[in-house]
Amino acid sequence: MADALTVIPAAVLRNLSDKLYEKRKNAALDVEGIVKQLASNGEHHKITAVINLLTNEFTYSSQVNQRKGGLIGLAAVTVGLTSEAAQHLEQIVPPVLNSFSDQDSKVRYHACEALYNIAKVVRGDFIIFFNQIFNALCKLSADSDGEVQSAAHLLDRLVKDIVTESDQFSIEEFIPLLRERMNVLNPFVRQFLVGWITVLDSVPDIDMLGFLPDFLDGLFNMLSDSSHEIRQQADSALSEFLQEIKNSPSVDYGRMAEILVQRAGAPDEFTRLTAITWINEFVKLSGDQLVPYYAVILAAILPCISDKEEKIRVVARDTNEELLAIKADLAEAFDVEAVLSIARRCSFSDLGKVARQISSEWEATRIEALHWISTLLNRYRTEVLQFLDDIFDTLVKALSDPSDAVVLLVLDVHACIAKDPQHFRQLVVFLVHNFRVDNSLLEKRGALIIRRLCVLLNAERVYRELSTILEGESDLDFASLMVQALNLILLTSWELSEIRDLLKQSLVNPAGKDLYVSLYASWCHSPMAILSLCLLAQTYQHASVVIHSLGEEDINTKFLVQLDKLIRLLETPTFTCLRLQLLEPGRHIWLFKTLYGLLMLLPQQSPAFKILKTRLKAVPSYPFNGEQSKRTLPGNPYQFLHHTEDGNITVDGGNSHNGINFAARLQQFKQMQHQHHVHWKTQALSRKISTSLPKDPQRQEEPRLSDVATSRSSKRGSG
């Protein structure tokens, strides 16, 4: 201190703390000259004393003007030292940097000015303080004072120039500093950071691309900034980096992919589009390297396929197709379970809000997710089937999806799984279970589901399995409803035309007989289903016997509704053969008896009665008598069956009618109908007891399931 006071005149020190800028400036020029003389004499200990004086007595002073004078004095010392300034920088720079956080804006401004002058002198030697200077400039870029901001911008440009020409700059030390600040929301700081990223990326010797994962998320965060200029700068920087990635032989795709996946779900539309575009490029550039990240990438792509923005949808679909085309090897860390889990979640209601997921706008996502499950089954069947328990129940529940396209794809996946016999059985059991617990599924989607499975898995196989399950069904109301649905599908769907043709040969073809007997067991749940089966299989005499076996309890509203449907079905192409057989009354006596039997069951004023009566009137006249019904007519493929008084069935002649034991079939039908009668009486008694009990006036009686089912059936029939 004493050395400094002897070197610098008191008047100079007094002017250095004057409130007038001109006096401080002149004093600084004096200090510059003094330091220059000391440097030429090699008296560096005195220069050190001068710096300490300016630091302790001026820059750290409580007086604003003294602090200003200290800053301009330190800059003057540096100018006076010129080439020898480097050895004193560790004394000069810290007090200047400290002044950047001064409460007085004028002091902060002078600090910028001082550091600017110091940097111009020392240039590259200045780099050792870069991190501290960068931190200070980052704060000043958002300074509340406009003049300070302007001064900081000038200093920032100079520092950038110095860094770009320096070979001492350490990008490794700088990146953590940059990463810490990338999520700052202040627009001025964001502009400052993007500016530095762009400048450093332009330096050939600095590998910013290698550190891109460290600040990539921050750049994407800026894409949703309220300032158009910041969004544009961030987008420009990202576009430049993406171009560099395309031209680079080595890129860390994995770390960046994780960031992009998060940004692909951003609320901001532009951010989502940019993220999905990057993912698209990554998949095209290096799909194999991304194998370990397939699951997370798929989780980002699938929702974007249903994005409200068309551009995003287009890129997402393209990316999805690229991924599907890549055949990943399990040895390359391809995680089948993870990918399957993502596809399952996106297929159904686990992704995002359930309300959004099941809405029609997400249909495209669910479809593509199901394509993934199907693809995984085809490529990695063994591995996928290990996780079947995790997806099977969900796949069955997906049959309730509001989209027909989704349901058809779900069925395709089911069919792929059900190629194995044990899985086929499991599928049909699950399907029947879901129909049982959700009657609306059977009503709304039953026909679509059954028909599609018949196409995919062989109609006869599907119907045989369903019949086996329904034969032992304990819920008789459901069994009857299910059989009626299956029977209607059998009679009307083109997918089951081969089964119908086979059943029409039941009396002459062993395969047809076997199918007839197989279906008969479960069709016994519904008298009308049995009659339909008999008419289709041309077992007319047995149909007539079944009609005569019906009692009063069988002829109810439900039965008449089903009978009405059957009469109308007799007018469809399915029963063309039957109608043509009416042209030969002598050959098909039992067909006439059956049709007249049906006619007698119908109310005379019903439309169905009029339809059937009109049809029978169109038949050529032919005299019938008892003897004619007891003999076999020429060309008849089977002998007539006779209904005896005790209800048994006997056969005339030696033909066994392809081995069908009609007596056993009739007994089977009667036993099943007896179970239904007992069940119906039990329900009726239960209803009667419940209605006779005293009711709580405060509590409304809940409707019974059986009543609801009956009401629903009646409404459908009347419709």
Side-chain angles (χ1 to χ4, degrees), residues 493-507:
S493 301
W494 65 264
E495 294 90 343
L496 280 81
S497 59
E498 292 185 6
I499 287 188
R500 291 197 295 270
D501 292 341
L502 188 59
L503 285 170
K504 289 175 183 178
Q505 303 176 45
S506 297
L507 295 172

Side-chain angles (χ1 to χ4, degrees), residues 92 98 139 155 178-179 191 366 401 413 435 438 478:
I92 296 172
N98 182 67
K139 293 178 181 178
L155 175 60
L178 177 64
R179 184 174 57 234
Q191 282 185 307
R366 299 198 298 279
D401 194 280
V413 174
F435 283 148
D438 184 5
F478 164 72

